[in-house]
Amino acid sequence: LRKKEYNNEIHHRSIQISNTSKVQQLEEELTALSRKHDFAESEKANAQNQLLAAEQNSANIIKSLTAEVNGYKESVSKLEAEIIHNYDKKVLAAQNEDLKSTLQTYRNQIKSLNHKIASLKVESDIIESHKTKALQESNSQCVQRIMVLEEQIEGEQSLLHDLAQAADLSSVPENLMRS
């Protein structure tokens, strides 16, 4: 009878050790997922920083292009003033045609620059959208896996508690028999 009780106790202890090992393994997996989650958060922050840098770069390009457009406008104004003050009507008419051509060139350049600005804004929006979506999906997957692991750990801890109580109950008759 004692040998049987001894074997049962050894069996219960081996189950406890196995369950403890499983809990440790799940805790390690939870820790690894938590690190992955932290890494994803870090990547998200990096992506946001890159996006802010890209937006700042786009803003600087827009400022530069706006300054260039304003420079073109100022050049046109200066040319017009110079023509009025320095040339007679015949020369003015000829230069006026040249100025119209130059003005049209500047307008075309402005349209081109405005198109580039719009393209940069669209690219920036697309990049932001893709990065945000990817980071949200990664974060969601990590959170779901963490929740599953937490549920498994709770189940394992409940089972360990039940086994510990069963082990304590199985030792009561042995103590009574010794008395």
Side-chain angles (χ1 to χ4, degrees), residues 112-150:
S112 174
L113 293 173
N114 284 335
H115 179 69
K116 285 181 184 178
I117 290 169
S119 295
L120 287 171
K121 286 180 181 178
V122 168
E123 286 178 18
S124 175
D125 290 344
I126 290 170
I127 290 170
E128 178 182 350
S129 172
H130 286 301
K131 285 182 180 178
T132 301
K133 183 178 179 182
L135 290 172
Q136 286 173 344
E137 288 175 3
S138 174
N139 191 25
S140 175
Q141 289 172 355
C142 285
V143 168
Q144 287 175 355
R145 182 64 182 144
I146 287 170
M147 289 170 50
V148 167
L149 287 173
E150 288 175 346

PDB file of all heavy atoms in Angstrom, residues 112-150:
ATOM      1  N   SER A 112       4.082  72.909 -63.383  1.00  0.00           N
ATOM      2  CA  SER A 112       4.905  71.716 -63.163  1.00  0.00           C
ATOM      3  C   SER A 112       5.287  71.579 -61.693  1.00  0.00           C
ATOM      4  O   SER A 112       5.218  70.491 -61.111  1.00  0.00           O
ATOM      5  CB  SER A 112       6.159  71.784 -64.035  1.00  0.00           C
ATOM      6  OG  SER A 112       7.021  70.724 -63.751  1.00  0.00           O
ATOM      7  N   LEU A 113       5.682  72.692 -61.089  1.00  0.00           N
ATOM      8  CA  LEU A 113       6.053  72.669 -59.672  1.00  0.00           C
ATOM      9  C   LEU A 113       4.852  72.339 -58.789  1.00  0.00           C
ATOM     10  O   LEU A 113       4.983  71.578 -57.819  1.00  0.00           O
ATOM     11  CB  LEU A 113       6.668  74.012 -59.262  1.00  0.00           C
ATOM     12  CG  LEU A 113       8.030  74.336 -59.895  1.00  0.00           C
ATOM     13  CD1 LEU A 113       8.449  75.756 -59.538  1.00  0.00           C
ATOM     14  CD2 LEU A 113       9.074  73.341 -59.449  1.00  0.00           C
ATOM     15  N   ASN A 114       3.705  72.899 -59.127  1.00  0.00           N
ATOM     16  CA  ASN A 114       2.487  72.579 -58.371  1.00  0.00           C
ATOM     17  C   ASN A 114       2.146  71.096 -58.504  1.00  0.00           C
ATOM     18  O   ASN A 114       1.693  70.467 -57.548  1.00  0.00           O
ATOM     19  CB  ASN A 114       1.312  73.446 -58.827  1.00  0.00           C
ATOM     20  CG  ASN A 114       1.416  74.861 -58.294  1.00  0.00           C
ATOM     21  OD1 ASN A 114       2.051  75.102 -57.274  1.00  0.00           O
ATOM     22  ND2 ASN A 114       0.812  75.807 -58.994  1.00  0.00           N
ATOM     23  N   HIS A 115       2.359  70.543 -59.694  1.00  0.00           N
ATOM     24  CA  HIS A 115       2.115  69.117 -59.907  1.00  0.00           C
ATOM     25  C   HIS A 115       3.084  68.287 -59.059  1.00  0.00           C
ATOM     26  O   HIS A 115       2.687  67.286 -58.452  1.00  0.00           O
ATOM     27  CB  HIS A 115       2.265  68.777 -61.395  1.00  0.00           C
ATOM     28  CG  HIS A 115       2.052  67.332 -61.692  1.00  0.00           C
ATOM     29  ND1 HIS A 115       0.831  66.724 -61.591  1.00  0.00           N
ATOM     30  CD2 HIS A 115       2.924  66.364 -62.064  1.00  0.00           C
ATOM     31  CE1 HIS A 115       0.950  65.440 -61.876  1.00  0.00           C
ATOM     32  NE2 HIS A 115       2.218  65.202 -62.176  1.00  0.00           N
ATOM     33  N   LYS A 116       4.343  68.709 -59.017  1.00  0.00           N
ATOM     34  CA  LYS A 116       5.327  67.996 -58.181  1.00  0.00           C
ATOM     35  C   LYS A 116       4.924  68.054 -56.710  1.00  0.00           C
ATOM     36  O   LYS A 116       5.035  67.060 -55.992  1.00  0.00           O
ATOM     37  CB  LYS A 116       6.718  68.618 -58.351  1.00  0.00           C
ATOM     38  CG  LYS A 116       7.394  68.278 -59.657  1.00  0.00           C
ATOM     39  CD  LYS A 116       8.768  68.916 -59.729  1.00  0.00           C
ATOM     40  CE  LYS A 116       9.445  68.677 -61.076  1.00  0.00           C
ATOM     41  NZ  LYS A 116      10.753  69.331 -61.160  1.00  0.00           N
ATOM     42  N   ILE A 117       4.463  69.206 -56.261  1.00  0.00           N
ATOM     43  CA  ILE A 117       4.030  69.364 -54.874  1.00  0.00           C
ATOM     44  C   ILE A 117       2.877  68.411 -54.578  1.00  0.00           C
ATOM     45  O   ILE A 117       2.870  67.714 -53.561  1.00  0.00           O
ATOM     46  CB  ILE A 117       3.625  70.825 -54.584  1.00  0.00           C
ATOM     47  CG1 ILE A 117       4.867  71.721 -54.576  1.00  0.00           C
ATOM     48  CG2 ILE A 117       2.887  70.945 -53.252  1.00  0.00           C
ATOM     49  CD1 ILE A 117       4.566  73.210 -54.562  1.00  0.00           C
ATOM     50  N   ALA A 118       1.901  68.356 -55.477  1.00  0.00           N
ATOM     51  CA  ALA A 118       0.745  67.468 -55.288  1.00  0.00           C
ATOM     52  C   ALA A 118       1.199  66.011 -55.266  1.00  0.00           C
ATOM     53  O   ALA A 118       0.722  65.216 -54.445  1.00  0.00           O
ATOM     54  CB  ALA A 118      -0.280  67.696 -56.393  1.00  0.00           C
ATOM     55  N   SER A 119       2.129  65.657 -56.153  1.00  0.00           N
ATOM     56  CA  SER A 119       2.633  64.279 -56.183  1.00  0.00           C
ATOM     57  C   SER A 119       3.339  63.928 -54.874  1.00  0.00           C
ATOM     58  O   SER A 119       3.168  62.826 -54.338  1.00  0.00           O
ATOM     59  CB  SER A 119       3.604  64.088 -57.348  1.00  0.00           C
ATOM     60  OG  SER A 119       2.950  64.233 -58.572  1.00  0.00           O
ATOM     61  N   LEU A 120       4.139  64.860 -54.361  1.00  0.00           N
ATOM     62  CA  LEU A 120       4.832  64.621 -53.094  1.00  0.00           C
ATOM     63  C   LEU A 120       3.840  64.437 -51.944  1.00  0.00           C
ATOM     64  O   LEU A 120       4.040  63.585 -51.072  1.00  0.00           O
ATOM     65  CB  LEU A 120       5.781  65.767 -52.769  1.00  0.00           C
ATOM     66  CG  LEU A 120       7.057  65.844 -53.608  1.00  0.00           C
ATOM     67  CD1 LEU A 120       7.781  67.152 -53.331  1.00  0.00           C
ATOM     68  CD2 LEU A 120       7.955  64.664 -53.299  1.00  0.00           C
ATOM     69  N   LYS A 121       2.774  65.222 -51.952  1.00  0.00           N
ATOM     70  CA  LYS A 121       1.766  65.086 -50.905  1.00  0.00           C
ATOM     71  C   LYS A 121       1.078  63.728 -51.001  1.00  0.00           C
ATOM     72  O   LYS A 121       0.838  63.069 -49.988  1.00  0.00           O
ATOM     73  CB  LYS A 121       0.737  66.215 -51.005  1.00  0.00           C
ATOM     74  CG  LYS A 121       1.271  67.544 -50.530  1.00  0.00           C
ATOM     75  CD  LYS A 121       0.227  68.642 -50.639  1.00  0.00           C
ATOM     76  CE  LYS A 121       0.785  69.982 -50.188  1.00  0.00           C
ATOM     77  NZ  LYS A 121      -0.180  71.069 -50.330  1.00  0.00           N
ATOM     78  N   VAL A 122       0.741  63.293 -52.218  1.00  0.00           N
ATOM     79  CA  VAL A 122       0.091  61.996 -52.406  1.00  0.00           C
ATOM     80  C   VAL A 122       1.023  60.875 -51.954  1.00  0.00           C
ATOM     81  O   VAL A 122       0.607  59.945 -51.255  1.00  0.00           O
ATOM     82  CB  VAL A 122      -0.340  61.800 -53.881  1.00  0.00           C
ATOM     83  CG1 VAL A 122      -0.744  60.363 -54.158  1.00  0.00           C
ATOM     84  CG2 VAL A 122      -1.480  62.743 -54.231  1.00  0.00           C
ATOM     85  N   GLU A 123       2.291  60.949 -52.334  1.00  0.00           N
ATOM     86  CA  GLU A 123       3.264  59.922 -51.930  1.00  0.00           C
ATOM     87  C   GLU A 123       3.397  59.875 -50.411  1.00  0.00           C
ATOM     88  O   GLU A 123       3.452  58.794 -49.818  1.00  0.00           O
ATOM     89  CB  GLU A 123       4.627  60.185 -52.564  1.00  0.00           C
ATOM     90  CG  GLU A 123       4.696  59.866 -54.038  1.00  0.00           C
ATOM     91  CD  GLU A 123       6.061  60.190 -54.639  1.00  0.00           C
ATOM     92  OE1 GLU A 123       7.048  60.331 -53.896  1.00  0.00           O
ATOM     93  OE2 GLU A 123       6.124  60.301 -55.868  1.00  0.00           O
ATOM     94  N   SER A 124       3.434  61.025 -49.795  1.00  0.00           N
ATOM     95  CA  SER A 124       3.546  61.089 -48.341  1.00  0.00           C
ATOM     96  C   SER A 124       2.330  60.448 -47.685  1.00  0.00           C
ATOM     97  O   SER A 124       2.458  59.681 -46.735  1.00  0.00           O
ATOM     98  CB  SER A 124       3.688  62.547 -47.899  1.00  0.00           C
ATOM     99  OG  SER A 124       3.681  62.639 -46.497  1.00  0.00           O
ATOM    100  N   ASP A 125       1.146  60.716 -48.201  1.00  0.00           N
ATOM    101  CA  ASP A 125      -0.084  60.123 -47.658  1.00  0.00           C
ATOM    102  C   ASP A 125      -0.092  58.614 -47.838  1.00  0.00           C
ATOM    103  O   ASP A 125      -0.494  57.865 -46.941  1.00  0.00           O
ATOM    104  CB  ASP A 125      -1.316  60.735 -48.336  1.00  0.00           C
ATOM    105  CG  ASP A 125      -1.535  62.187 -47.933  1.00  0.00           C
ATOM    106  OD1 ASP A 125      -0.957  62.641 -46.941  1.00  0.00           O
ATOM    107  OD2 ASP A 125      -2.329  62.860 -48.624  1.00  0.00           O
ATOM    108  N   ILE A 126       0.357  58.135 -48.987  1.00  0.00           N
ATOM    109  CA  ILE A 126       0.390  56.697 -49.262  1.00  0.00           C
ATOM    110  C   ILE A 126       1.370  56.009 -48.314  1.00  0.00           C
ATOM    111  O   ILE A 126       1.060  54.973 -47.721  1.00  0.00           O
ATOM    112  CB  ILE A 126       0.755  56.420 -50.737  1.00  0.00           C
ATOM    113  CG1 ILE A 126      -0.397  56.837 -51.649  1.00  0.00           C
ATOM    114  CG2 ILE A 126       1.099  54.954 -50.960  1.00  0.00           C
ATOM    115  CD1 ILE A 126      -0.058  56.821 -53.137  1.00  0.00           C
ATOM    116  N   ILE A 127       2.550  56.584 -48.148  1.00  0.00           N
ATOM    117  CA  ILE A 127       3.552  56.002 -47.255  1.00  0.00           C
ATOM    118  C   ILE A 127       3.012  55.945 -45.827  1.00  0.00           C
ATOM    119  O   ILE A 127       3.129  54.924 -45.148  1.00  0.00           O
ATOM    120  CB  ILE A 127       4.868  56.822 -47.308  1.00  0.00           C
ATOM    121  CG1 ILE A 127       5.561  56.619 -48.658  1.00  0.00           C
ATOM    122  CG2 ILE A 127       5.801  56.440 -46.173  1.00  0.00           C
ATOM    123  CD1 ILE A 127       6.718  57.571 -48.894  1.00  0.00           C
ATOM    124  N   GLU A 128       2.409  57.024 -45.386  1.00  0.00           N
ATOM    125  CA  GLU A 128       1.853  57.059 -44.031  1.00  0.00           C
ATOM    126  C   GLU A 128       0.776  56.002 -43.865  1.00  0.00           C
ATOM    127  O   GLU A 128       0.754  55.282 -42.871  1.00  0.00           O
ATOM    128  CB  GLU A 128       1.284  58.448 -43.737  1.00  0.00           C
ATOM    129  CG  GLU A 128       0.638  58.546 -42.358  1.00  0.00           C
ATOM    130  CD  GLU A 128       0.036  59.914 -42.089  1.00  0.00           C
ATOM    131  OE1 GLU A 128       0.274  60.840 -42.875  1.00  0.00           O
ATOM    132  OE2 GLU A 128      -0.674  60.045 -41.095  1.00  0.00           O
ATOM    133  N   SER A 129      -0.097  55.872 -44.841  1.00  0.00           N
ATOM    134  CA  SER A 129      -1.184  54.902 -44.777  1.00  0.00           C
ATOM    135  C   SER A 129      -0.654  53.475 -44.694  1.00  0.00           C
ATOM    136  O   SER A 129      -1.099  52.684 -43.867  1.00  0.00           O
ATOM    137  CB  SER A 129      -2.093  55.058 -46.006  1.00  0.00           C
ATOM    138  OG  SER A 129      -3.037  54.025 -46.060  1.00  0.00           O
ATOM    139  N   HIS A 130       0.311  53.144 -45.542  1.00  0.00           N
ATOM    140  CA  HIS A 130       0.863  51.782 -45.549  1.00  0.00           C
ATOM    141  C   HIS A 130       1.579  51.464 -44.237  1.00  0.00           C
ATOM    142  O   HIS A 130       1.399  50.380 -43.667  1.00  0.00           O
ATOM    143  CB  HIS A 130       1.830  51.592 -46.722  1.00  0.00           C
ATOM    144  CG  HIS A 130       1.145  51.472 -48.060  1.00  0.00           C
ATOM    145  ND1 HIS A 130       0.219  50.502 -48.349  1.00  0.00           N
ATOM    146  CD2 HIS A 130       1.255  52.206 -49.184  1.00  0.00           C
ATOM    147  CE1 HIS A 130      -0.201  50.645 -49.584  1.00  0.00           C
ATOM    148  NE2 HIS A 130       0.395  51.686 -50.118  1.00  0.00           N
ATOM    149  N   LYS A 131       2.388  52.391 -43.757  1.00  0.00           N
ATOM    150  CA  LYS A 131       3.132  52.145 -42.525  1.00  0.00           C
ATOM    151  C   LYS A 131       2.180  52.006 -41.344  1.00  0.00           C
ATOM    152  O   LYS A 131       2.336  51.110 -40.512  1.00  0.00           O
ATOM    153  CB  LYS A 131       4.132  53.279 -42.266  1.00  0.00           C
ATOM    154  CG  LYS A 131       5.343  53.215 -43.177  1.00  0.00           C
ATOM    155  CD  LYS A 131       6.326  54.306 -42.860  1.00  0.00           C
ATOM    156  CE  LYS A 131       7.538  54.227 -43.788  1.00  0.00           C
ATOM    157  NZ  LYS A 131       8.483  55.301 -43.528  1.00  0.00           N
ATOM    158  N   THR A 132       1.196  52.877 -41.269  1.00  0.00           N
ATOM    159  CA  THR A 132       0.238  52.822 -40.170  1.00  0.00           C
ATOM    160  C   THR A 132      -0.528  51.504 -40.191  1.00  0.00           C
ATOM    161  O   THR A 132      -0.688  50.861 -39.157  1.00  0.00           O
ATOM    162  CB  THR A 132      -0.745  54.018 -40.250  1.00  0.00           C
ATOM    163  OG1 THR A 132       0.008  55.227 -40.179  1.00  0.00           O
ATOM    164  CG2 THR A 132      -1.735  53.980 -39.105  1.00  0.00           C
ATOM    165  N   LYS A 133      -0.974  51.099 -41.364  1.00  0.00           N
ATOM    166  CA  LYS A 133      -1.742  49.852 -41.484  1.00  0.00           C
ATOM    167  C   LYS A 133      -0.891  48.655 -41.079  1.00  0.00           C
ATOM    168  O   LYS A 133      -1.343  47.794 -40.324  1.00  0.00           O
ATOM    169  CB  LYS A 133      -2.240  49.682 -42.922  1.00  0.00           C
ATOM    170  CG  LYS A 133      -3.111  48.457 -43.111  1.00  0.00           C
ATOM    171  CD  LYS A 133      -3.631  48.351 -44.531  1.00  0.00           C
ATOM    172  CE  LYS A 133      -4.482  47.113 -44.711  1.00  0.00           C
ATOM    173  NZ  LYS A 133      -4.953  46.959 -46.078  1.00  0.00           N
ATOM    174  N   ALA A 134       0.347  48.593 -41.555  1.00  0.00           N
ATOM    175  CA  ALA A 134       1.229  47.467 -41.230  1.00  0.00           C
ATOM    176  C   ALA A 134       1.501  47.414 -39.730  1.00  0.00           C
ATOM    177  O   ALA A 134       1.477  46.342 -39.115  1.00  0.00           O
ATOM    178  CB  ALA A 134       2.531  47.570 -42.008  1.00  0.00           C
ATOM    179  N   LEU A 135       1.758  48.547 -39.131  1.00  0.00           N
ATOM    180  CA  LEU A 135       2.042  48.584 -37.699  1.00  0.00           C
ATOM    181  C   LEU A 135       0.810  48.223 -36.875  1.00  0.00           C
ATOM    182  O   LEU A 135       0.914  47.537 -35.857  1.00  0.00           O
ATOM    183  CB  LEU A 135       2.578  49.957 -37.297  1.00  0.00           C
ATOM    184  CG  LEU A 135       3.988  50.261 -37.819  1.00  0.00           C
ATOM    185  CD1 LEU A 135       4.342  51.713 -37.546  1.00  0.00           C
ATOM    186  CD2 LEU A 135       4.997  49.340 -37.186  1.00  0.00           C
ATOM    187  N   GLN A 136      -0.368  48.659 -37.329  1.00  0.00           N
ATOM    188  CA  GLN A 136      -1.598  48.314 -36.618  1.00  0.00           C
ATOM    189  C   GLN A 136      -1.859  46.815 -36.686  1.00  0.00           C
ATOM    190  O   GLN A 136      -2.237  46.204 -35.687  1.00  0.00           O
ATOM    191  CB  GLN A 136      -2.787  49.086 -37.204  1.00  0.00           C
ATOM    192  CG  GLN A 136      -2.810  50.544 -36.832  1.00  0.00           C
ATOM    193  CD  GLN A 136      -3.899  51.330 -37.556  1.00  0.00           C
ATOM    194  OE1 GLN A 136      -4.453  50.866 -38.542  1.00  0.00           O
ATOM    195  NE2 GLN A 136      -4.185  52.516 -37.073  1.00  0.00           N
ATOM    196  N   GLU A 137      -1.642  46.206 -37.841  1.00  0.00           N
ATOM    197  CA  GLU A 137      -1.848  44.764 -37.977  1.00  0.00           C
ATOM    198  C   GLU A 137      -0.870  43.997 -37.089  1.00  0.00           C
ATOM    199  O   GLU A 137      -1.265  43.046 -36.404  1.00  0.00           O
ATOM    200  CB  GLU A 137      -1.682  44.349 -39.440  1.00  0.00           C
ATOM    201  CG  GLU A 137      -2.825  44.782 -40.338  1.00  0.00           C
ATOM    202  CD  GLU A 137      -2.587  44.459 -41.812  1.00  0.00           C
ATOM    203  OE1 GLU A 137      -1.568  43.847 -42.141  1.00  0.00           O
ATOM    204  OE2 GLU A 137      -3.444  44.814 -42.620  1.00  0.00           O
ATOM    205  N   SER A 138       0.376  44.386 -37.097  1.00  0.00           N
ATOM    206  CA  SER A 138       1.387  43.719 -36.274  1.00  0.00           C
ATOM    207  C   SER A 138       1.045  43.863 -34.791  1.00  0.00           C
ATOM    208  O   SER A 138       1.124  42.903 -34.034  1.00  0.00           O
ATOM    209  CB  SER A 138       2.761  44.322 -36.563  1.00  0.00           C
ATOM    210  OG  SER A 138       3.715  43.800 -35.691  1.00  0.00           O
ATOM    211  N   ASN A 139       0.665  45.038 -34.387  1.00  0.00           N
ATOM    212  CA  ASN A 139       0.312  45.295 -33.002  1.00  0.00           C
ATOM    213  C   ASN A 139      -0.904  44.456 -32.605  1.00  0.00           C
ATOM    214  O   ASN A 139      -0.934  43.868 -31.533  1.00  0.00           O
ATOM    215  CB  ASN A 139       0.035  46.795 -32.808  1.00  0.00           C
ATOM    216  CG  ASN A 139      -0.073  47.152 -31.348  1.00  0.00           C
ATOM    217  OD1 ASN A 139       0.467  46.473 -30.485  1.00  0.00           O
ATOM    218  ND2 ASN A 139      -0.765  48.235 -31.041  1.00  0.00           N
ATOM    219  N   SER A 140      -1.899  44.386 -33.462  1.00  0.00           N
ATOM    220  CA  SER A 140      -3.114  43.615 -33.196  1.00  0.00           C
ATOM    221  C   SER A 140      -2.792  42.138 -33.025  1.00  0.00           C
ATOM    222  O   SER A 140      -3.296  41.479 -32.118  1.00  0.00           O
ATOM    223  CB  SER A 140      -4.111  43.816 -34.335  1.00  0.00           C
ATOM    224  OG  SER A 140      -5.233  42.989 -34.154  1.00  0.00           O
ATOM    225  N   GLN A 141      -1.933  41.598 -33.870  1.00  0.00           N
ATOM    226  CA  GLN A 141      -1.553  40.191 -33.772  1.00  0.00           C
ATOM    227  C   GLN A 141      -0.825  39.918 -32.458  1.00  0.00           C
ATOM    228  O   GLN A 141      -1.077  38.898 -31.804  1.00  0.00           O
ATOM    229  CB  GLN A 141      -0.673  39.802 -34.959  1.00  0.00           C
ATOM    230  CG  GLN A 141      -1.421  39.730 -36.275  1.00  0.00           C
ATOM    231  CD  GLN A 141      -0.482  39.523 -37.457  1.00  0.00           C
ATOM    232  OE1 GLN A 141       0.736  39.520 -37.289  1.00  0.00           O
ATOM    233  NE2 GLN A 141      -1.053  39.351 -38.638  1.00  0.00           N
ATOM    234  N   CYS A 142       0.069  40.801 -32.065  1.00  0.00           N
ATOM    235  CA  CYS A 142       0.799  40.628 -30.811  1.00  0.00           C
ATOM    236  C   CYS A 142      -0.160  40.667 -29.621  1.00  0.00           C
ATOM    237  O   CYS A 142      -0.059  39.843 -28.700  1.00  0.00           O
ATOM    238  CB  CYS A 142       1.873  41.710 -30.656  1.00  0.00           C
ATOM    239  SG  CYS A 142       3.323  41.450 -31.691  1.00  0.00           S
ATOM    240  N   VAL A 143      -1.084  41.604 -29.630  1.00  0.00           N
ATOM    241  CA  VAL A 143      -2.041  41.726 -28.532  1.00  0.00           C
ATOM    242  C   VAL A 143      -2.904  40.478 -28.445  1.00  0.00           C
ATOM    243  O   VAL A 143      -3.138  39.938 -27.355  1.00  0.00           O
ATOM    244  CB  VAL A 143      -2.904  43.000 -28.705  1.00  0.00           C
ATOM    245  CG1 VAL A 143      -4.084  42.994 -27.755  1.00  0.00           C
ATOM    246  CG2 VAL A 143      -2.062  44.241 -28.474  1.00  0.00           C
ATOM    247  N   GLN A 144      -3.363  39.955 -29.586  1.00  0.00           N
ATOM    248  CA  GLN A 144      -4.179  38.741 -29.590  1.00  0.00           C
ATOM    249  C   GLN A 144      -3.382  37.561 -29.046  1.00  0.00           C
ATOM    250  O   GLN A 144      -3.895  36.777 -28.244  1.00  0.00           O
ATOM    251  CB  GLN A 144      -4.681  38.438 -31.004  1.00  0.00           C
ATOM    252  CG  GLN A 144      -5.769  39.381 -31.482  1.00  0.00           C
ATOM    253  CD  GLN A 144      -6.164  39.127 -32.926  1.00  0.00           C
ATOM    254  OE1 GLN A 144      -5.581  38.310 -33.605  1.00  0.00           O
ATOM    255  NE2 GLN A 144      -7.179  39.847 -33.378  1.00  0.00           N
ATOM    256  N   ARG A 145      -2.145  37.415 -29.430  1.00  0.00           N
ATOM    257  CA  ARG A 145      -1.321  36.287 -28.967  1.00  0.00           C
ATOM    258  C   ARG A 145      -1.066  36.416 -27.469  1.00  0.00           C
ATOM    259  O   ARG A 145      -1.089  35.417 -26.744  1.00  0.00           O
ATOM    260  CB  ARG A 145       0.002  36.255 -29.746  1.00  0.00           C
ATOM    261  CG  ARG A 145       0.889  35.083 -29.364  1.00  0.00           C
ATOM    262  CD  ARG A 145       0.271  33.761 -29.713  1.00  0.00           C
ATOM    263  NE  ARG A 145       1.154  32.675 -29.289  1.00  0.00           N
ATOM    264  CZ  ARG A 145       0.765  31.530 -28.822  1.00  0.00           C
ATOM    265  NH1 ARG A 145      -0.521  31.265 -28.757  1.00  0.00           N
ATOM    266  NH2 ARG A 145       1.629  30.628 -28.456  1.00  0.00           N
ATOM    267  N   ILE A 146      -0.837  37.610 -26.988  1.00  0.00           N
ATOM    268  CA  ILE A 146      -0.623  37.828 -25.562  1.00  0.00           C
ATOM    269  C   ILE A 146      -1.865  37.428 -24.775  1.00  0.00           C
ATOM    270  O   ILE A 146      -1.769  36.771 -23.736  1.00  0.00           O
ATOM    271  CB  ILE A 146      -0.228  39.304 -25.278  1.00  0.00           C
ATOM    272  CG1 ILE A 146       1.205  39.553 -25.757  1.00  0.00           C
ATOM    273  CG2 ILE A 146      -0.360  39.640 -23.802  1.00  0.00           C
ATOM    274  CD1 ILE A 146       1.611  41.015 -25.740  1.00  0.00           C
ATOM    275  N   MET A 147      -3.037  37.782 -25.287  1.00  0.00           N
ATOM    276  CA  MET A 147      -4.287  37.419 -24.614  1.00  0.00           C
ATOM    277  C   MET A 147      -4.454  35.904 -24.553  1.00  0.00           C
ATOM    278  O   MET A 147      -4.842  35.356 -23.521  1.00  0.00           O
ATOM    279  CB  MET A 147      -5.477  38.080 -25.323  1.00  0.00           C
ATOM    280  CG  MET A 147      -5.532  39.590 -25.105  1.00  0.00           C
ATOM    281  SD  MET A 147      -6.727  40.475 -26.127  1.00  0.00           S
ATOM    282  CE  MET A 147      -8.214  39.555 -25.908  1.00  0.00           C
ATOM    283  N   VAL A 148      -4.144  35.216 -25.643  1.00  0.00           N
ATOM    284  CA  VAL A 148      -4.243  33.751 -25.668  1.00  0.00           C
ATOM    285  C   VAL A 148      -3.272  33.150 -24.657  1.00  0.00           C
ATOM    286  O   VAL A 148      -3.624  32.235 -23.910  1.00  0.00           O
ATOM    287  CB  VAL A 148      -3.971  33.221 -27.101  1.00  0.00           C
ATOM    288  CG1 VAL A 148      -3.759  31.723 -27.089  1.00  0.00           C
ATOM    289  CG2 VAL A 148      -5.110  33.586 -28.030  1.00  0.00           C
ATOM    290  N   LEU A 149      -2.058  33.638 -24.610  1.00  0.00           N
ATOM    291  CA  LEU A 149      -1.065  33.117 -23.667  1.00  0.00           C
ATOM    292  C   LEU A 149      -1.482  33.380 -22.221  1.00  0.00           C
ATOM    293  O   LEU A 149      -1.286  32.525 -21.350  1.00  0.00           O
ATOM    294  CB  LEU A 149       0.304  33.736 -23.946  1.00  0.00           C
ATOM    295  CG  LEU A 149       1.010  33.220 -25.203  1.00  0.00           C
ATOM    296  CD1 LEU A 149       2.266  34.036 -25.464  1.00  0.00           C
ATOM    297  CD2 LEU A 149       1.342  31.755 -25.074  1.00  0.00           C
ATOM    298  N   GLU A 150      -2.035  34.528 -21.963  1.00  0.00           N
ATOM    299  CA  GLU A 150      -2.494  34.823 -20.611  1.00  0.00           C
ATOM    300  C   GLU A 150      -3.609  33.861 -20.201  1.00  0.00           C
ATOM    301  O   GLU A 150      -3.643  33.381 -19.067  1.00  0.00           O
ATOM    302  CB  GLU A 150      -2.957  36.273 -20.504  1.00  0.00           C
ATOM    303  CG  GLU A 150      -1.829  37.277 -20.531  1.00  0.00           C
ATOM    304  CD  GLU A 150      -2.291  38.721 -20.557  1.00  0.00           C
ATOM    305  OE1 GLU A 150      -3.471  38.987 -20.810  1.00  0.00           O
ATOM    306  OE2 GLU A 150      -1.434  39.601 -20.325  1.00  0.00           O
TER     307      GLU A 150
END
